[in-house]
Amino acid sequence: MTFKEAIQDPVFHMIAEAASKKEVSSYVIGGFVRDFFLERQTPKDIDVVTVGSGIDLAREFASMLDEKPKVSVFKNFGTAMVKTQDLEVEFVGARKESYHFDSRKPVVEDGTLEDDQNRRDFTINALALSLNKEDFGRLLDPFDGMKDLEKKIIRTPLDPEITYSDDPLRMMRAIRFASQLNFRIEPASLKAIKDNKKRIKIISRERIVDELHKIMLSDRPSVGLSLLYKTGLLKLILPELTALQGIEEKEGQRHKDNFWHTLEVVDNISQNTDDLWLRWAALLHDIGKAPTKRFDDNAGWTFHGHEFVGSKMVYRIFKRMRMPLNEKMKFVQKMVLLSSRPIVLAQDIVTDSAVRRLIYDAGEDIDDLMTLCEADITTKNPRRFKKYHHNFKIVRDKIAEVEARDHVRNFQPPVDGQEIMDTFNIPPSREIGIIKDAIKEAILEGEIPNEYEAARKFMLEKGKSLGLKPA
Ligand code: CTP
């Protein structure tokens, strides 16, 4: 679709007509225009700025639509939103903004289109298209935003020190756009972000996380993550992660830099999954390595128990960042906890019982766990790289084979506690747990098949060994 065609969408003509009725000028601005020129999928939300009342224009526009949609008015922000079909059109009056040091909520006064473009975060977000009769579709680009789009540069319309200090969320946005669009942040902006990094504290964690998620969902999240690191923001947001940075050497032994390794793992996994939480699992999979690092005279550098420590840290990080403390967090914890299991398995002889245990522990998430572990292979030694991938292929094949035969993925014991109580005529007691565990172990070890008859027979024998008699 060409630009001329896009702007011919009836919705734009209707906004133009509404504006002309109200005798105000109006413009499409922001993400819609940017993404249109970048040939990205144009967003379903359209921002319209009018030199007049955004709320009045929204009401006029809504009244002209057949479906007469509701106008959602946000009085405090002087904005109004109208949903029509699958579009959300947000109207705002052109404004000038000034900020207090301790808040990102500006003091607002009416302004011109130019004032409004000045208050925007980036030149590529300040592009405006006229919806006025006399020059419908004309591009108003006072800051050379088009050039920045071509050169792939993130730049602020005004002095970056002011733009970022006014609204420190923009530091996150700059890095997010650089990551999403694969753009460069111009040096003055980068410096201003470094200078203002501490001001991130006035931004709510929810907003920071929103931007982090967008970075995590970009094609190569390492672009954004390394910018967060270089500007010093990451240390303020996720110090657990920057604690992984660095290589120590003792008695000629070095360990790898687990921070840069993690970024590679995140990029690797992003080639194979769009699942946000699996990507987060990749980001946090080695998080327990900083607090567990030790140097052992015999073994060299060790990180004993880092998976367990790491999975506990996931909870603390999610809580602090106000991320959901639900099954998503549990999934990330589980991935971190199990993240070393497949490689340990692959380094040894791949036995059926080890595979059965892995499937039992990972359950439904076994495929995601394998995807994570394959992404974890970042060795630059081609021989080892090949060997690890080959071993994982063996593990995957074995998983499929064992799963088809033994069905342990959603393991339900073939004999349950009630049956044990009924069989031996005993009340709830310690013995029931012992027998249940023994049955599970026997199945996982491959001593008995995962079937009712075999499990019942095993239960009777186990009961007998505990001095129980069938009723
Ligand atoms: N904007 C800004 N400063 C912010 C947030 C937004 O100047 N902290 C301006 C920008 O001009 C932006 C517009 O408001 O283009 C709309 O913001 P938003 O909908 O949050 O972002 P988009 O640019 O549309 O991009 P995306 O939808 O990818 O977030």
Side-chain angles (χ1 to χ4, degrees):
M1 185 164 53
T2 66
F3 167 58
K4 281 264 168 332
E5 281 162 0
I7 200 83
Q8 293 314 323
D9 189 302
V11 110
F12 294 115
H13 284 282
M14 283 178 88
I15 298 168
E17 210 180 311
S20 138
K21 272 195 194 155
K22 288 266 142 200
E23 296 180 355
V24 290
S25 51
S26 65
Y27 307 84
V28 193
I29 195 160
F32 182 90
V33 186
R34 175 196 71 225
D35 286 347
F36 178 79
F37 285 118
L38 284 173
E39 296 181 8
R40 293 175 91 208
Q41 191 164 20
T42 45
K44 293 290 169 209
D45 50 323
I46 299 175
D47 291 302
V48 172
V49 60
T50 174
V51 185
S53 159
I55 298 171
D56 286 354
L57 180 57
R59 291 208 168 106
E60 185 65 39
F61 170 65
S63 76
M64 289 164 58
L65 293 167
D66 291 340
E67 73 264 31
K68 304 282 176 271
K70 200 175 114 237
V71 179
S72 315
V73 175
F74 308 98
K75 255 220 164 94
N76 292 347
F77 297 97
T79 65
M81 200 262 287
V82 178
K83 272 192 198 173
T84 168
Q85 286 149 30
D86 60 343
L87 293 175
E88 282 185 8
V89 191
E90 176 120 18
F91 294 86
V92 61
R95 54 169 72 169
K96 250 191 206 158
E97 289 178 346
S98 51
Y99 288 80
H100 284 302
F101 190 73
D102 56 356
S103 162
R104 65 177 288 263
K105 294 206 175 61
V107 177
V108 172
E109 49 184 310
D110 292 345
T112 62
L113 171 69
E114 186 122 25
D115 291 328
D116 199 276
Q117 286 174 300
N118 274 325
R119 76 171 176 93
R120 303 262 160 186
D121 50 4
F122 308 117
T123 58
I124 59 169
N125 286 343
L127 298 166
L129 294 174
S130 164
L131 294 178
N132 305 313
K133 281 232 166 65
E134 59 281 9
D135 59 354
F136 189 85
R138 185 162 79 94
L139 178 68
L140 293 114
D141 177 15
F143 312 110
D144 274 340
M146 283 303 276
K147 221 182 242 163
D148 289 341
L149 274 187
E150 272 162 39
K151 291 199 290 187
K152 296 175 162 258
I153 288 177
I154 307 284
R155 192 164 60 88
T156 56
L158 303 180
D159 178 353
E161 294 286 344
I162 295 170
T163 301
Y164 294 115
S165 172
D166 276 353
D167 178 359
L169 179 67
R170 291 168 170 172
M171 303 191 285
M172 295 295 298
R173 281 173 61 88
I175 292 174
R176 182 258 289 194
F177 281 120
S179 202
Q180 266 183 336
L181 307 175
N182 206 11
F183 273 36
R184 217 159 37 80
I185 300 178
E186 61 129 17
S189 249
L190 213 50
K191 178 177 178 302
I193 296 176
K194 281 183 196 155
D195 293 347
N196 286 285
K197 62 173 187 268
K198 290 224 169 91
R199 288 187 52 67
I200 197 71
K201 67 173 186 289
I202 69 166
I203 303 299
S204 78
R205 277 164 240 186
E206 288 83 351
R207 280 180 190 274
I208 293 175
V209 166
D210 264 358
E211 298 299 330
L212 263 183
H213 284 343
K214 288 181 183 170
I215 291 171
M216 288 302 286
L217 287 172
S218 54
D219 288 347
R220 274 199 306 133
S222 68
V223 173
L225 292 167
S226 55
L227 281 168
L228 286 175
Y229 175 74
K230 284 175 188 156
T231 53
L233 281 168
L234 195 60
K235 192 160 185 197
L236 300 172
I237 300 170
L238 271 175
E240 297 87 347
L241 208 58
T242 51
L244 295 176
Q245 193 274 331
I247 298 173
E248 243 186 286
E249 181 165 341
K250 221 173 184 177
E251 295 170 21
Q253 303 219 44
R254 290 153 65 92
H255 63 78
K256 67 172 176 257
D257 185 312
N258 285 302
F259 174 71
W260 296 105
H261 160 73
T262 292
L263 264 47
E264 262 188 83
V265 178
V266 174
D267 278 358
N268 282 349
I269 209 164
S270 301
Q271 292 182 18
N272 294 318
T273 181
D274 290 332
D275 184 302
L276 175 64
W277 302 106
L278 187 50
R279 289 181 177 203
W280 265 96
L283 185 68
L284 301 183
H285 81 286
D286 270 350
I287 206 88
K289 280 193 171 171
T292 57
K293 186 167 98 171
R294 303 275 179 279
F295 187 80
D296 181 286
D297 287 340
N298 299 316
W301 292 105
T302 66
F303 304 90
H304 282 312
H306 79 84
E307 303 86 346
F308 180 74
V309 171
S311 74
K312 297 277 170 234
M313 290 168 75
V314 168
Y315 170 78
R316 293 203 291 275
I317 291 172
F318 270 53
K319 190 156 191 266
R320 186 186 71 228
M321 307 282 282
R322 313 254 155 81
M323 303 218 291
L325 298 175
N326 57 14
E327 75 283 357
K328 303 295 182 202
M329 183 212 52
K330 287 196 186 131
F331 168 78
V332 175
Q333 282 191 305
K334 184 172 171 185
M335 290 293 106
V336 173
L337 185 63
L338 298 177
S339 58
S340 305
R341 289 274 298 278
I343 186 77
V344 172
L345 213 163
Q347 279 162 350
D348 215 341
I349 297 163
V350 188
T351 63
D352 281 14
S353 61
V355 169
R356 255 193 306 272
R357 277 186 189 282
L358 182 65
I359 304 176
Y360 173 77
D361 290 334
E364 275 307 312
D365 302 315
I366 184 75
D367 294 331
D368 285 342
L369 180 64
M370 291 305 293
T371 304
L372 170 60
C373 294
E374 278 165 341
D376 202 3
I377 305 172
T378 60
T379 170
K380 301 290 170 283
N381 175 329
R383 206 175 43 78
R384 270 199 218 143
F385 184 87
K386 224 172 129 188
K387 185 175 128 198
Y388 291 155
H389 275 284
H390 176 72
N391 286 356
F392 273 133
K393 169 99 179 53
I394 297 175
V395 177
R396 276 200 191 261
D397 290 348
K398 199 86 176 176
I399 288 173
E401 182 195 315
V402 170
E403 179 55 16
R405 196 179 57 224
D406 300 342
H407 311 292
V408 280
R409 188 176 288 227
N410 284 314
F411 184 83
Q412 293 295 335
V415 171
D416 64 10
Q418 190 60 50
E419 183 165 352
I420 301 171
M421 288 194 280
D422 293 346
T423 305
F424 297 110
N425 194 21
I426 50 172
S429 55
R430 206 170 61 90
E431 281 75 10
I432 296 164
I434 295 174
I435 296 174
K436 271 174 73 176
D437 265 358
I439 297 172
K440 185 191 92 188
E441 284 298 311
I443 292 171
L444 293 178
E445 278 305 312
E447 290 160 15
I448 60 169
N450 186 13
E451 287 161 9
Y452 176 75
E453 283 308 327
R456 182 163 174 91
K457 189 159 163 257
F458 184 87
M459 169 192 74
L460 290 168
E461 281 162 18
K462 186 74 195 169
K464 207 165 143 196
S465 77
L466 291 170
L468 300 173
K469 283 199 190 85

